[in-house]
Amino acid sequence: GYGPESVYEPPPPPKPRHVAPKYSFWLGPRVGWFVPFGSVFYRCAPNSFGECNYNAVDWNDYASSGPMFEIDAGARLGRNYTLFLLWEHAALGAGDDESYEKDQGGLASASTDYFGLGLRVSSDPNKIGFLTEINLGARRFRAKYENGTELQFTQDVPLELRLGLGADIRLSPLFSLSPLITLGIGRFDTIERVQDGDTQDEMADDDELASHGWLTFQVGGHFDVAGGG
């Protein structure tokens, strides 16, 4: 029995058993499908009063959806957070403007690249968690045609924004899978046509810039290297 001075102290709670490391070098690829949408600029169509009626020129006029891959590298910080750099590349198909494609002799290749800095947050990095990503970066687009013409869409300031939602599935202390849907928005500041060494603006003086977007469906596999904690 216990004496009058005895005080019962319960055992301390068990320490949580984490699967994901608290800190690590985080690295891995992603594969998926890239869907471009939105407009790249507004073309001025003068009316009888000499004023502009603007018609949207869609990104899909120049390219259609296609496969993408991505490389990520960064650092896991405090188990639930990852700060990383990324390079996303997509190989795109022919655009919807068939008359434009025909004038250029057909599309030889089209691709887009996105370079960014991202933050990734997992609600449960040890088992299965809700995953949120946000990143900011710069995008470029290239389309090459059979007659030698190349279109180059670039940006003066890296202000493309991409948001991602998905799942963080931990398979081992070293590896996790991440199915993800991302949605991005941005604007190309410079749209140029290059042919035979000559560069010309694809936009006329009265044309206006517009905002484009993109959607991806992807799955990533990432490794936690040299982790601890």
Side-chain angles (χ1 to χ4, degrees):
Y2 297 100
E5 302 297 329
S6 299
V7 176
Y8 173 73
E9 294 185 4
K15 293 183 178 180
R17 299 183 62 183
H18 295 289
V19 180
K22 190 173 183 179
Y23 303 101
S24 71
F25 175 63
W26 185 81
L27 175 69
R30 311 187 197 196
V31 295
W33 194 255
F34 182 99
V35 182
F37 65 89
S39 303
V40 288
F41 69 94
Y42 293 107
R43 179 174 285 132
C44 173
N47 57 27
S48 57
F49 300 99
E51 300 172 340
C52 284
N53 293 328
Y54 287 102
N55 300 316
V57 178
D58 294 335
W59 195 358
N60 289 120
D61 288 348
Y62 299 101
S64 59
S65 59
M68 55 80 63
F69 74 86
E70 180 174 318
I71 296 295
D72 304 318
R76 182 180 294 277
L77 306 171
R79 217 178 309 274
N80 296 77
Y81 306 95
T82 305
L83 188 66
F84 64 99
L85 297 171
L86 69 98
W87 168 46
E88 174 199 273
H89 175 83
L92 305 179
D96 295 335
D97 191 343
E98 296 181 359
S99 61
Y100 185 89
E101 302 275 353
K102 185 177 181 181
D103 290 342
Q104 307 303 320
L107 181 71
S109 65
S111 64
T112 181
D113 295 275
Y114 174 65
F115 305 88
L117 172 66
L119 176 65
R120 172 186 175 102
V121 182
S122 174
S123 65
D124 185 354
N126 296 304
K127 296 180 181 179
I128 299 178
F130 179 72
L131 182 63
T132 305
E133 285 189 1
I134 182 171
N135 51 66
L136 187 69
R139 178 172 295 282
R140 67 183 185 185
F141 168 73
R142 299 284 189 274
K144 297 181 180 180
Y145 297 89
E146 297 290 351
N147 68 350
T149 299
E150 180 176 346
L151 291 177
Q152 300 180 356
F153 295 14
T154 56
Q155 295 176 315
D156 299 330
V157 180
L159 289 179
E160 299 267 310
L161 177 67
R162 190 183 83 176
L163 301 174
L165 298 175
D168 183 21
I169 305 172
R170 175 63 56 174
L171 298 182
S172 78
L174 298 177
F175 184 73
S176 62
L177 282 177
S178 303
L180 198 69
I181 297 175
T182 73
L183 178 66
I185 189 171
R187 188 184 76 176
F188 294 116
D189 298 311
T190 303
I191 303 175
E192 296 177 324
R193 179 199 300 261
V194 180
Q195 188 173 24
D196 299 327
D198 294 328
T199 301
Q200 295 181 341
D201 288 336
E202 182 74 359
M203 298 172 56
D205 291 339
D206 291 330
D207 294 342
E208 297 287 345
L209 295 171
S211 297
H212 63 265
W214 74 97
L215 180 71
T216 72
F217 303 91
Q218 55 179 258
V219 61
H222 295 91
F223 296 88
D224 286 283
V225 182

